[in-house]
Amino acid sequence: MFDLNFAGSFDVHFNRMNGTLPIELSNCTNLQQFQIGFNGFKGPFPTDEINSLTGLSLLDLSNNNFDRMPLPNFANLTSLESLFMENMRLAGTLPAWLFQLPKLESLDLNANRITGTIPSSISNAHSMETINLGENQLKGTIPTEIGMLDELIWIILGKNQLTGTLPTTFGQLQKLEYLDLADNMLDGEIPPEVCELWNYSLKSLGFKGPPPSCIELSSWLGGLTCPSFACCRVCGDLLP
């Protein structure tokens, strides 16, 4: 199957495939997209074989049953634009190399067991458009450096153990459309700088379906409160 050195794309996601990934995977040196998400692959993760695919722009490994491990080191994949590793029982902390991939636009590490803090080196991810770090075990405060990600469209940090306040630097994210902070331990008000985004691009603050009432809003936002009807459009829209 993996003696396909002519192939540019390999996509078998959303099937019922299982077993281990063979070492022959490294033969596919021309691969640009490798998608095996939502299958039953298991066993040791073939980090070396994946790292030999230096032309990859899309790598989707989500929802498989590989042995529990830290996030594999993919620093060698400098062409990578999209990395999806949702629900893979990944452990350990967020490595520095992750935010140094020069072309990475989409990152999904949702529903793993990642611990530690969100590093300030996230500021290096200049091309990032979407980040999903939800449903992990991240602690500490949200780094102000996220406000330096000019291309960011949506970010999910919900269902972690984050504390502190929402940085005012989020107000610099003029392309931000979706911000999910639900089920954390944040406190304080939503900064006016973030509320101002309602006048630009922000469409949702982490809830699905009809907006909750202002009283319920703080639980959806991980503990933050809405400062005023004038500032926060979510509350303002609920006025008679």
CSV table of all heavy atoms in Angstrom, one decimal, residues 143-191:
chain,number,residue,atom,x,y,z
A,143,PRO,N,-1.5,33.4,27.5
A,143,PRO,CA,-0.4,34.3,27.2
A,143,PRO,C,-0.8,35.5,26.4
A,143,PRO,O,-1.6,35.4,25.5
A,143,PRO,CB,0.6,33.5,26.5
A,143,PRO,CG,-0.2,32.3,25.9
A,143,PRO,CD,-1.3,32.1,26.9
A,144,THR,N,-0.3,36.7,26.8
A,144,THR,CA,-0.7,37.9,26.0
A,144,THR,C,-0.2,37.8,24.6
A,144,THR,O,-0.7,38.5,23.7
A,144,THR,CB,0.0,39.1,26.7
A,144,THR,OG1,1.4,38.9,26.7
A,144,THR,CG2,-0.5,39.3,28.1
A,145,GLU,N,0.8,37.0,24.4
A,145,GLU,CA,1.4,36.9,23.0
A,145,GLU,C,0.5,36.4,21.9
A,145,GLU,O,0.7,36.5,20.7
A,145,GLU,CB,2.7,36.0,23.1
A,145,GLU,CG,3.9,36.6,23.8
A,145,GLU,CD,3.8,36.5,25.3
A,145,GLU,OE1,2.8,35.9,25.8
A,145,GLU,OE2,4.7,37.0,26.0
A,146,ILE,N,-0.6,35.7,22.4
A,146,ILE,CA,-1.6,35.3,21.4
A,146,ILE,C,-2.1,36.5,20.5
A,146,ILE,O,-2.5,36.4,19.4
A,146,ILE,CB,-2.8,34.5,22.0
A,146,ILE,CG1,-2.3,33.2,22.6
A,146,ILE,CG2,-3.9,34.3,21.1
A,146,ILE,CD1,-3.4,32.4,23.2
A,147,GLY,N,-2.1,37.6,21.2
A,147,GLY,CA,-2.6,38.8,20.5
A,147,GLY,C,-1.7,39.2,19.3
A,147,GLY,O,-2.0,40.2,18.5
A,148,MET,N,-0.5,38.6,19.2
A,148,MET,CA,0.4,38.9,18.1
A,148,MET,C,0.1,38.1,16.8
A,148,MET,O,0.7,38.2,15.8
A,148,MET,CB,1.8,38.6,18.5
A,148,MET,CG,2.2,39.5,19.7
A,148,MET,SD,3.9,39.0,20.4
A,148,MET,CE,4.9,39.4,19.0
A,149,LEU,N,-0.9,37.1,16.9
A,149,LEU,CA,-1.2,36.3,15.8
A,149,LEU,C,-2.2,36.9,14.8
A,149,LEU,O,-3.4,36.7,14.9
A,149,LEU,CB,-1.7,34.9,16.3
A,149,LEU,CG,-0.8,34.2,17.3
A,149,LEU,CD1,-1.5,32.9,17.7
A,149,LEU,CD2,0.5,34.0,16.7
A,150,ASP,N,-1.7,37.8,14.0
A,150,ASP,CA,-2.6,38.7,13.2
A,150,ASP,C,-3.5,37.9,12.2
A,150,ASP,O,-4.6,38.5,11.9
A,150,ASP,CB,-1.7,39.6,12.3
A,150,ASP,CG,-0.8,40.5,13.1
A,150,ASP,OD1,-1.2,40.8,14.3
A,150,ASP,OD2,0.2,40.9,12.6
A,151,GLU,N,-3.2,36.7,11.9
A,151,GLU,CA,-4.1,35.9,10.9
A,151,GLU,C,-5.1,35.1,11.6
A,151,GLU,O,-5.9,34.4,11.0
A,151,GLU,CB,-3.2,35.0,10.1
A,151,GLU,CG,-2.1,35.8,9.2
A,151,GLU,CD,-2.7,36.8,8.3
A,151,GLU,OE1,-3.8,36.5,7.7
A,151,GLU,OE2,-2.2,37.9,8.2
A,152,LEU,N,-5.1,35.1,13.0
A,152,LEU,CA,-6.0,34.2,13.7
A,152,LEU,C,-7.5,34.5,13.5
A,152,LEU,O,-7.9,35.6,13.6
A,152,LEU,CB,-5.7,34.3,15.2
A,152,LEU,CG,-6.1,33.1,16.1
A,152,LEU,CD1,-5.5,31.8,15.7
A,152,LEU,CD2,-5.9,33.4,17.5
A,153,ILE,N,-8.2,33.4,13.1
A,153,ILE,CA,-9.7,33.5,12.8
A,153,ILE,C,-10.5,32.9,13.9
A,153,ILE,O,-11.5,33.4,14.3
A,153,ILE,CB,-10.0,32.8,11.5
A,153,ILE,CG1,-9.3,33.5,10.3
A,153,ILE,CG2,-11.5,32.8,11.2
A,153,ILE,CD1,-9.4,32.8,9.0
A,154,TRP,N,-10.0,31.7,14.4
A,154,TRP,CA,-10.7,31.2,15.6
A,154,TRP,C,-9.8,30.4,16.5
A,154,TRP,O,-8.8,29.8,16.0
A,154,TRP,CB,-12.0,30.4,15.2
A,154,TRP,CG,-11.9,29.2,14.3
A,154,TRP,CD1,-12.1,29.2,13.0
A,154,TRP,CD2,-11.5,27.8,14.6
A,154,TRP,NE1,-12.0,27.9,12.5
A,154,TRP,CE2,-11.6,27.1,13.5
A,154,TRP,CE3,-11.1,27.2,15.8
A,154,TRP,CZ2,-11.3,25.7,13.4
A,154,TRP,CZ3,-10.9,25.8,15.8
A,154,TRP,CH2,-10.9,25.1,14.6
A,155,ILE,N,-10.1,30.4,17.8
A,155,ILE,CA,-9.3,29.7,18.8
A,155,ILE,C,-10.1,29.1,19.8
A,155,ILE,O,-11.1,29.7,20.3
A,155,ILE,CB,-8.2,30.7,19.4
A,155,ILE,CG1,-7.4,30.0,20.4
A,155,ILE,CG2,-8.9,32.0,20.0
A,155,ILE,CD1,-6.2,30.8,20.9
A,156,ILE,N,-9.9,27.8,20.1
A,156,ILE,CA,-10.6,27.1,21.1
A,156,ILE,C,-9.7,26.7,22.2
A,156,ILE,O,-8.7,26.0,22.0
A,156,ILE,CB,-11.3,25.8,20.5
A,156,ILE,CG1,-12.3,26.2,19.4
A,156,ILE,CG2,-11.9,25.0,21.6
A,156,ILE,CD1,-12.9,25.0,18.7
A,157,LEU,N,-10.0,27.2,23.4
A,157,LEU,CA,-9.2,26.9,24.6
A,157,LEU,C,-10.1,26.3,25.7
A,157,LEU,O,-9.7,26.2,26.9
A,157,LEU,CB,-8.5,28.2,25.2
A,157,LEU,CG,-7.5,28.9,24.2
A,157,LEU,CD1,-7.0,30.1,24.8
A,157,LEU,CD2,-6.4,27.9,23.8
A,158,GLY,N,-11.3,26.0,25.4
A,158,GLY,CA,-12.3,25.6,26.3
A,158,GLY,C,-12.0,24.2,27.0
A,158,GLY,O,-11.2,23.4,26.4
A,159,LYS,N,-12.6,24.0,28.1
A,159,LYS,CA,-12.4,22.7,28.9
A,159,LYS,C,-11.0,22.4,29.2
A,159,LYS,O,-10.5,21.3,28.9
A,159,LYS,CB,-13.1,21.6,28.1
A,159,LYS,CG,-14.6,21.7,27.9
A,159,LYS,CD,-15.2,20.5,27.3
A,159,LYS,CE,-16.8,20.7,27.2
A,159,LYS,NZ,-17.4,19.6,26.5
A,160,ASN,N,-10.3,23.4,29.8
A,160,ASN,CA,-9.0,23.2,30.3
A,160,ASN,C,-9.0,23.7,31.8
A,160,ASN,O,-10.1,23.7,32.4
A,160,ASN,CB,-7.9,24.0,29.5
A,160,ASN,CG,-7.5,23.3,28.3
A,160,ASN,OD1,-6.8,22.3,28.4
A,160,ASN,ND2,-7.9,23.7,27.1
A,161,GLN,N,-7.9,24.1,32.3
A,161,GLN,CA,-7.9,24.6,33.7
A,161,GLN,C,-7.2,25.9,33.8
A,161,GLN,O,-6.4,26.2,34.7
A,161,GLN,CB,-7.1,23.6,34.6
A,161,GLN,CG,-7.8,22.2,34.6
A,161,GLN,CD,-6.9,21.1,35.2
A,161,GLN,OE1,-6.1,21.4,36.1
A,161,GLN,NE2,-7.0,19.9,34.7
A,162,LEU,N,-7.5,26.8,32.8
A,162,LEU,CA,-6.8,28.1,32.7
A,162,LEU,C,-7.4,29.0,33.7
A,162,LEU,O,-8.6,29.0,34.0
A,162,LEU,CB,-7.0,28.6,31.3
A,162,LEU,CG,-6.4,27.8,30.1
A,162,LEU,CD1,-6.9,28.3,28.8
A,162,LEU,CD2,-4.9,27.7,30.2
A,163,THR,N,-6.5,29.9,34.2
A,163,THR,CA,-6.9,30.8,35.2
A,163,THR,C,-6.5,32.3,34.8
A,163,THR,O,-5.9,32.5,33.8
A,163,THR,CB,-6.2,30.5,36.6
A,163,THR,OG1,-4.7,30.5,36.3
A,163,THR,CG2,-6.6,29.1,37.1
A,164,GLY,N,-6.8,33.2,35.7
A,164,GLY,CA,-6.5,34.6,35.4
A,164,GLY,C,-7.5,35.3,34.5
A,164,GLY,O,-8.7,34.8,34.4
A,165,THR,N,-7.1,36.3,33.8
A,165,THR,CA,-8.1,37.2,33.0
A,165,THR,C,-7.8,37.0,31.6
A,165,THR,O,-6.7,36.4,31.2
A,165,THR,CB,-7.9,38.6,33.4
A,165,THR,OG1,-6.5,39.0,33.2
A,165,THR,CG2,-8.2,38.9,34.9
A,166,LEU,N,-8.7,37.5,30.8
A,166,LEU,CA,-8.5,37.4,29.3
A,166,LEU,C,-7.6,38.6,28.9
A,166,LEU,O,-7.9,39.8,29.2
A,166,LEU,CB,-9.8,37.5,28.6
A,166,LEU,CG,-9.8,37.5,27.1
A,166,LEU,CD1,-9.2,36.2,26.6
A,166,LEU,CD2,-11.2,37.7,26.5
A,167,PRO,N,-6.5,38.4,28.3
A,167,PRO,CA,-5.6,39.5,27.9
A,167,PRO,C,-6.2,40.5,27.0
A,167,PRO,O,-6.9,40.2,26.1
A,167,PRO,CB,-4.4,38.7,27.2
A,167,PRO,CG,-4.5,37.3,27.7
A,167,PRO,CD,-5.9,37.0,27.9
A,168,THR,N,-5.9,41.7,27.3
A,168,THR,CA,-6.4,42.8,26.5
A,168,THR,C,-5.9,42.7,25.1
A,168,THR,O,-6.5,43.3,24.1
A,168,THR,CB,-6.1,44.2,27.1
A,168,THR,OG1,-4.6,44.3,27.2
A,168,THR,CG2,-6.7,44.3,28.5
A,169,THR,N,-4.7,42.0,24.9
A,169,THR,CA,-4.1,41.9,23.6
A,169,THR,C,-5.0,41.2,22.6
A,169,THR,O,-4.8,41.3,21.4
A,169,THR,CB,-2.7,41.3,23.7
A,169,THR,OG1,-2.9,40.0,24.3
A,169,THR,CG2,-1.8,42.1,24.4
A,170,PHE,N,-6.0,40.4,23.1
A,170,PHE,CA,-6.9,39.8,22.2
A,170,PHE,C,-7.6,40.8,21.3
A,170,PHE,O,-8.1,40.5,20.2
A,170,PHE,CB,-7.9,38.9,22.9
A,170,PHE,CG,-7.4,37.5,23.2
A,170,PHE,CD1,-6.3,37.2,23.9
A,170,PHE,CD2,-8.2,36.4,22.7
A,170,PHE,CE1,-5.8,35.9,24.1
A,170,PHE,CE2,-7.7,35.1,22.9
A,170,PHE,CZ,-6.6,34.9,23.6
A,171,GLY,N,-7.7,42.0,21.8
A,171,GLY,CA,-8.4,43.0,21.0
A,171,GLY,C,-7.6,43.4,19.7
A,171,GLY,O,-8.2,44.1,18.9
A,172,GLN,N,-6.4,42.9,19.6
A,172,GLN,CA,-5.6,43.2,18.4
A,172,GLN,C,-5.9,42.2,17.3
A,172,GLN,O,-5.5,42.4,16.1
A,172,GLN,CB,-4.1,43.1,18.7
A,172,GLN,CG,-3.7,44.1,19.8
A,172,GLN,CD,-2.3,43.8,20.2
A,172,GLN,OE1,-1.5,43.1,19.6
A,172,GLN,NE2,-1.9,44.3,21.4
A,173,LEU,N,-6.7,41.2,17.6
A,173,LEU,CA,-7.0,40.1,16.6
A,173,LEU,C,-8.2,40.5,15.7
A,173,LEU,O,-9.3,40.1,15.9
A,173,LEU,CB,-7.3,38.8,17.4
A,173,LEU,CG,-6.2,38.3,18.3
A,173,LEU,CD1,-6.6,37.1,19.1
A,173,LEU,CD2,-4.9,38.0,17.5
A,174,GLN,N,-7.9,41.4,14.8
A,174,GLN,CA,-8.9,42.0,14.0
A,174,GLN,C,-9.7,41.0,13.0
A,174,GLN,O,-10.7,41.3,12.5
A,174,GLN,CB,-8.4,43.1,13.2
A,174,GLN,CG,-7.8,44.3,14.0
A,174,GLN,CD,-8.9,44.9,14.9
A,174,GLN,OE1,-9.9,45.4,14.3
A,174,GLN,NE2,-8.7,44.9,16.2
A,175,LYS,N,-9.1,39.8,12.8
A,175,LYS,CA,-9.7,38.8,12.0
A,175,LYS,C,-10.5,37.7,12.8
A,175,LYS,O,-11.1,36.8,12.3
A,175,LYS,CB,-8.7,38.1,11.1
A,175,LYS,CG,-8.1,39.0,10.1
A,175,LYS,CD,-7.1,38.3,9.2
A,175,LYS,CE,-6.5,39.2,8.1
A,175,LYS,NZ,-5.6,38.5,7.2
A,176,LEU,N,-10.4,37.8,14.1
A,176,LEU,CA,-11.0,36.8,15.0
A,176,LEU,C,-12.5,36.7,14.9
A,176,LEU,O,-13.2,37.7,15.0
A,176,LEU,CB,-10.6,37.1,16.5
A,176,LEU,CG,-10.9,35.9,17.4
A,176,LEU,CD1,-10.0,34.7,17.1
A,176,LEU,CD2,-10.7,36.4,18.9
A,177,GLU,N,-13.0,35.5,14.6
A,177,GLU,CA,-14.4,35.2,14.4
A,177,GLU,C,-15.0,34.4,15.6
A,177,GLU,O,-16.2,34.5,15.9
A,177,GLU,CB,-14.7,34.6,13.1
A,177,GLU,CG,-14.4,35.4,11.9
A,177,GLU,CD,-14.8,34.8,10.6
A,177,GLU,OE1,-15.4,33.7,10.6
A,177,GLU,OE2,-14.5,35.3,9.5
A,178,TYR,N,-14.2,33.5,16.1
A,178,TYR,CA,-14.7,32.6,17.1
A,178,TYR,C,-13.7,32.4,18.3
A,178,TYR,O,-12.5,32.1,18.0
A,178,TYR,CB,-15.0,31.2,16.5
A,178,TYR,CG,-15.6,30.2,17.4
A,178,TYR,CD1,-16.9,30.3,17.7
A,178,TYR,CD2,-14.8,29.2,18.0
A,178,TYR,CE1,-17.5,29.3,18.6
A,178,TYR,CE2,-15.4,28.3,18.8
A,178,TYR,CZ,-16.7,28.3,19.1
A,178,TYR,OH,-17.3,27.4,20.0
A,179,LEU,N,-14.2,32.6,19.5
A,179,LEU,CA,-13.3,32.5,20.7
A,179,LEU,C,-14.1,31.6,21.7
A,179,LEU,O,-15.1,32.0,22.2
A,179,LEU,CB,-13.1,33.9,21.3
A,179,LEU,CG,-12.4,34.0,22.6
A,179,LEU,CD1,-11.0,33.3,22.6
A,179,LEU,CD2,-12.2,35.4,23.0
A,180,ASP,N,-13.5,30.5,22.0
A,180,ASP,CA,-14.1,29.5,23.0
A,180,ASP,C,-13.2,29.4,24.2
A,180,ASP,O,-12.1,28.9,24.1
A,180,ASP,CB,-14.3,28.2,22.3
A,180,ASP,CG,-15.0,27.2,23.2
A,180,ASP,OD1,-15.1,27.4,24.4
A,180,ASP,OD2,-15.4,26.1,22.7
A,181,LEU,N,-13.7,29.9,25.3
A,181,LEU,CA,-13.0,29.8,26.6
A,181,LEU,C,-13.8,29.1,27.6
A,181,LEU,O,-13.5,29.1,28.8
A,181,LEU,CB,-12.8,31.3,27.1
A,181,LEU,CG,-12.0,32.2,26.2
A,181,LEU,CD1,-12.0,33.6,26.8
A,181,LEU,CD2,-10.6,31.7,26.0
A,182,ALA,N,-14.9,28.4,27.2
A,182,ALA,CA,-15.8,27.8,28.2
A,182,ALA,C,-15.1,26.8,29.1
A,182,ALA,O,-14.2,26.1,28.7
A,182,ALA,CB,-16.9,27.1,27.4
A,183,ASP,N,-15.7,26.6,30.3
A,183,ASP,CA,-15.3,25.6,31.2
A,183,ASP,C,-13.8,25.7,31.6
A,183,ASP,O,-13.0,24.7,31.5
A,183,ASP,CB,-15.6,24.2,30.7
A,183,ASP,CG,-17.1,24.0,30.6
A,183,ASP,OD1,-17.8,24.4,31.5
A,183,ASP,OD2,-17.5,23.4,29.6
A,184,ASN,N,-13.4,26.9,32.0
A,184,ASN,CA,-12.1,27.1,32.6
A,184,ASN,C,-12.3,27.7,34.0
A,184,ASN,O,-13.4,27.6,34.5
A,184,ASN,CB,-11.2,28.0,31.7
A,184,ASN,CG,-10.5,27.3,30.6
A,184,ASN,OD1,-9.6,26.5,30.8
A,184,ASN,ND2,-11.0,27.5,29.3
A,185,MET,N,-11.3,28.4,34.5
A,185,MET,CA,-11.4,29.0,35.8
A,185,MET,C,-11.0,30.5,35.7
A,185,MET,O,-10.3,31.0,36.6
A,185,MET,CB,-10.5,28.3,36.8
A,185,MET,CG,-11.1,26.8,37.1
A,185,MET,SD,-10.1,25.9,38.3
A,185,MET,CE,-8.6,25.5,37.3
A,186,LEU,N,-11.3,31.1,34.6
A,186,LEU,CA,-11.0,32.5,34.4
A,186,LEU,C,-11.8,33.4,35.2
A,186,LEU,O,-12.9,33.0,35.7
A,186,LEU,CB,-11.2,32.8,32.9
A,186,LEU,CG,-10.4,32.0,31.9
A,186,LEU,CD1,-10.9,32.3,30.5
A,186,LEU,CD2,-8.9,32.2,32.0
A,187,ASP,N,-11.4,34.6,35.5
A,187,ASP,CA,-12.2,35.6,36.2
A,187,ASP,C,-12.0,37.0,35.6
A,187,ASP,O,-11.3,37.1,34.7
A,187,ASP,CB,-11.7,35.6,37.7
A,187,ASP,CG,-10.3,35.8,37.9
A,187,ASP,OD1,-9.7,36.5,37.1
A,187,ASP,OD2,-9.7,35.2,38.8
A,188,GLY,N,-12.7,37.9,36.2
A,188,GLY,CA,-12.7,39.3,35.7
A,188,GLY,C,-13.7,39.5,34.6
A,188,GLY,O,-14.4,38.6,34.2
A,189,GLU,N,-13.7,40.7,34.0
A,189,GLU,CA,-14.6,41.0,33.0
A,189,GLU,C,-13.9,40.8,31.6
A,189,GLU,O,-12.7,40.7,31.5
A,189,GLU,CB,-15.0,42.5,33.1
A,189,GLU,CG,-15.8,42.8,34.3
A,189,GLU,CD,-16.3,44.3,34.3
A,189,GLU,OE1,-15.7,45.1,33.6
A,189,GLU,OE2,-17.3,44.5,35.0
A,190,ILE,N,-14.8,40.7,30.6
A,190,ILE,CA,-14.3,40.7,29.2
A,190,ILE,C,-13.7,42.1,29.0
A,190,ILE,O,-14.4,43.1,29.1
A,190,ILE,CB,-15.4,40.4,28.2
A,190,ILE,CG1,-16.1,39.1,28.5
A,190,ILE,CG2,-14.9,40.5,26.8
A,190,ILE,CD1,-17.3,38.8,27.7
A,191,PRO,N,-12.5,42.2,28.6
A,191,PRO,CA,-11.8,43.5,28.4
A,191,PRO,C,-12.6,44.3,27.3
A,191,PRO,O,-13.0,43.8,26.3
A,191,PRO,CB,-10.4,43.2,27.9
A,191,PRO,CG,-10.2,41.8,28.4
A,191,PRO,CD,-11.5,41.1,28.4
